[in-house]
Amino acid sequence: MAAMDGEPSMVSLESLPADPLLIIFSLLDYGDLVNCCLVNRRFNQIASYDLLWRKYCTKYWLITEEEKVRKNECWKSLFIDFYSDVGRYIEHYAAIKKAWDDLKKYLWARCPLIVLSLKDGLREEDLDAIEAQIGCKLPDDYRCSFRIHNGQKLVVPGLFGSIQLLNHQRSEDFLDALVAAGGFQPKRGLKYCLPLTFCVHTGLSQYLAVEAAEGRNKNEVFYHSSEQMTHTSNIEMFITGSSFTEWFTSYVNNVVSGRFPVIRNQILRYMQDPECVATTGDITVSVSTSFLPELSSINPPQYFFSYRINVEMSSDARPDEVCHLYSRCLRATNANGNMEVLQGPGIEGELPTLTAGEEYEYIGCTTFSTTSGYIEGYYTFYLQRRKDRLFRVTVPRFYLECPKFKVFRAR
């Protein structure tokens, strides 16, 4: 029926010009855009406009203009190719691929040995076979990561960081999926858990819960308490992530941001707090800390911490301002307010000397019966040219806190 005089005529969506339709289609997600291609020939032509697919390629698959040119394909074809290969991971792929790319770029300039130890990704059928072997479905974000890299070779240094403390050494390798499947646990304490990392020095692993069991949530990542196998009822674990994606991306962020330093071809698992720095005159003291689950227990409560203290003299200091460390006085206070004073000559039996631009670093440790505490204090130095002139250098207060943990009381 024709519109009456003076009344606006109805305009259907199909009768809109191409430009408004392109604007509307640009607001759709990829699934809706695919559906538009199925409506009719005109919608298919407009929804296939190549620039509409560029944002999906960059958002979900991180495809760059350079990669498009290299592959000599249109954006829509690239999207379809990637979706055909890894489409089941579309909600995880961008975050995990970006983490891998950032990590490799950062480490290549600082520790190429770790990058060279990474294995090529697996095929879908390989991961399907592992699921059949363990009798459980793998989380999609875990599978997605292993499509990109199948862990690393069992080497030192490990991708997931190192700790060196006196005669205690840890270096966690990122296990490949087949080795991890061999460590899949049906037994009490680690039921339905898949190891993610492994340290050849300590036997320590981080585990992924592929099913909810024994107080763990599905997809949770954790260290198990080293003493739990001797307990008759309690299962204890230190939580390091609520999912594989959170666990992996947060670790990568700590590495590429410099919070976990890369020193002597290995990633050190000491968290650096940029605010935990104190300068006295020409001397600056900075501290980084680490929690060691392999030396800790929840029951009885004993939480083991390590810390790295760096003492550096400014490069602008006068050449004759040579300083010698005389003594230390550190106060360790737990969450209950109980204090222990650590004092004596030197640092760990050493009496370092500092000149302009020189630094001294050492690693200490402490245990708390509470889940957190802090240490602060000072060092006493004297000038080489004025041995009778003692002065104090502040050690900034640094906090030590164990991660979230769970205790499941099995019946």
Side-chain angles (χ1 to χ4, degrees):
M1 180 182 294
M4 296 179 64
D5 291 343
E7 292 185 5
S9 59
M10 301 296 292
V11 178
S12 67
L13 185 63
E14 292 185 20
S15 64
L16 284 175
D19 287 347
L21 279 176
L22 280 172
I23 293 174
I24 294 171
F25 286 1
S26 71
L27 303 175
L28 302 179
D29 203 353
Y30 72 93
D32 295 322
L33 196 60
V34 169
N35 289 333
C36 287
C37 291
L38 305 176
V39 173
N40 54 43
R41 182 176 297 178
R42 184 163 184 267
F43 272 29
N44 179 275
Q45 290 176 338
I46 296 174
S48 297
Y49 181 61
D50 204 40
L51 290 182
L52 287 175
W53 293 90
R54 178 171 60 183
K55 71 173 184 178
Y56 306 126
C57 287
T58 56
K59 176 182 178 181
Y60 293 111
W61 312 130
L62 305 183
I63 302 173
T64 63
E65 292 280 357
E66 293 77 9
E67 188 174 358
K68 176 183 180 294
V69 172
R70 189 170 62 253
K71 290 180 177 292
N72 194 28
E73 292 186 57
C74 67
W75 289 112
K76 185 179 180 182
S77 294
L78 285 170
F79 183 88
I80 293 171
D81 289 346
F82 270 78
Y83 192 88
S84 299
D85 184 30
V86 288
R88 69 179 288 178
Y89 313 120
I90 195 165
E91 299 302 323
H92 306 290
Y93 185 88
I96 292 176
K97 179 67 162 60
K98 182 179 186 303
W100 272 118
D101 289 347
D102 290 347
L103 184 63
K104 289 188 292 184
K105 181 180 179 180
Y106 185 83
L107 291 179
W108 187 251
R110 296 163 177 82
C111 186
L113 289 175
I114 292 181
V115 180
L116 293 172
S117 74
L118 298 176
K119 295 186 174 183
D120 293 336
L122 295 175
R123 302 169 300 170
E124 284 294 300
E125 49 265 41
D126 298 325
L127 292 163
D128 291 342
I130 289 172
E131 287 185 341
Q133 176 183 337
I134 66 176
C136 289
K137 291 291 184 182
L138 298 170
D140 269 354
D141 52 355
Y142 176 91
R143 287 182 61 120
C144 179
S145 180
F146 281 81
R147 286 299 313 275
I148 300 169
H149 280 296
N150 181 27
Q152 69 172 141
K153 303 168 187 175
L154 289 177
V155 296
V156 175
L159 178 66
F160 275 83
S162 301
I163 294 285
Q164 290 183 321
L165 175 65
L166 301 177
N167 61 349
H168 181 82
Q169 183 175 356
R170 185 219 303 172
S171 185
E172 288 185 69
D173 287 310
F174 191 22
L175 292 177
D176 72 49
L178 188 59
V179 173
F184 184 73
Q185 298 291 344
K187 61 186 178 183
R188 178 189 176 277
L190 293 171
K191 192 173 184 180
Y192 302 129
C193 293
L194 192 73
L196 291 176
T197 68
F198 179 72
C199 170
V200 296
H201 304 288
T202 65
L204 182 73
S205 289
Q206 293 185 72
Y207 286 88
L208 170 68
V210 298
E211 297 288 349
E214 300 177 325
R216 290 178 291 272
N217 297 321
K218 186 176 180 179
N219 299 333
E220 214 160 37
V221 182
F222 65 97
Y223 288 108
H224 71 81
S225 173
S226 59
E227 300 297 323
Q228 75 176 36
M229 297 309 176
T230 64
H231 295 170
T232 58
S233 59
N234 291 349
I235 295 171
E236 304 174 351
M237 62 211 93
F238 296 101
I239 309 301
T240 54
S242 61
S243 68
F244 178 89
T245 298
E246 184 202 30
W247 172 77
F248 182 66
T249 58
S250 62
Y251 176 76
V252 171
N253 287 337
N254 283 330
V255 175
V256 302
S257 67
R259 288 190 291 269
F260 286 160
V262 179
I263 299 175
R264 293 184 290 275
N265 286 322
Q266 57 187 340
I267 302 167
L268 295 186
R269 287 289 291 268
Y270 286 90
M271 182 69 77
Q272 291 187 325
D273 181 352
E275 296 185 358
C276 193
V277 177
T279 299
T280 305
D282 290 323
I283 299 178
T284 297
V285 179
S286 59
V287 187
S288 55
T289 62
S290 183
F291 172 72
L292 276 66
E294 67 268 34
L295 300 178
S296 301
S297 66
I298 299 170
N299 184 24
Q302 180 170 291
Y303 306 99
F304 193 100
F305 301 93
S306 179
Y307 51 87
R308 294 173 61 243
I309 296 186
N310 180 275
V311 185
E312 182 176 6
M313 194 165 189
S314 171
S315 58
D316 296 329
R318 289 167 45 187
D320 61 342
E321 295 290 301
V322 179
C323 297
H324 298 268
L325 189 135
Y326 179 72
S327 64
R328 75 189 187 284
C329 180
L330 300 177
R331 298 178 295 275
T333 306
N334 69 16
N336 294 330
N338 299 323
M339 180 190 298
E340 179 184 3
V341 179
L342 311 171
Q343 60 182 352
I347 300 176
E348 304 294 327
E350 296 184 2
L351 297 169
T353 298
L354 294 179
T355 58
E358 192 173 13
E359 61 183 75
Y360 172 78
E361 180 181 282
Y362 78 97
I363 295 177
C365 60
T366 191
T367 58
F368 288 137
S369 59
T370 58
T371 57
S372 63
Y374 64 86
I375 297 177
E376 61 186 346
Y378 59 87
Y379 300 130
T380 301
F381 279 83
Y382 65 88
L383 292 172
Q384 181 170 284
R385 60 185 175 83
R386 288 283 305 275
K387 294 185 179 181
D388 59 333
R389 182 182 173 187
L390 298 177
F391 62 95
R392 290 181 177 181
V393 171
T394 299
V395 176
R397 176 180 291 190
F398 56 96
Y399 291 88
L400 304 158
E401 185 171 356
C402 88
K404 174 185 174 183
F405 61 79
K406 290 184 178 181
V407 178
F408 177 68
R409 307 191 187 285
R411 296 180 179 177

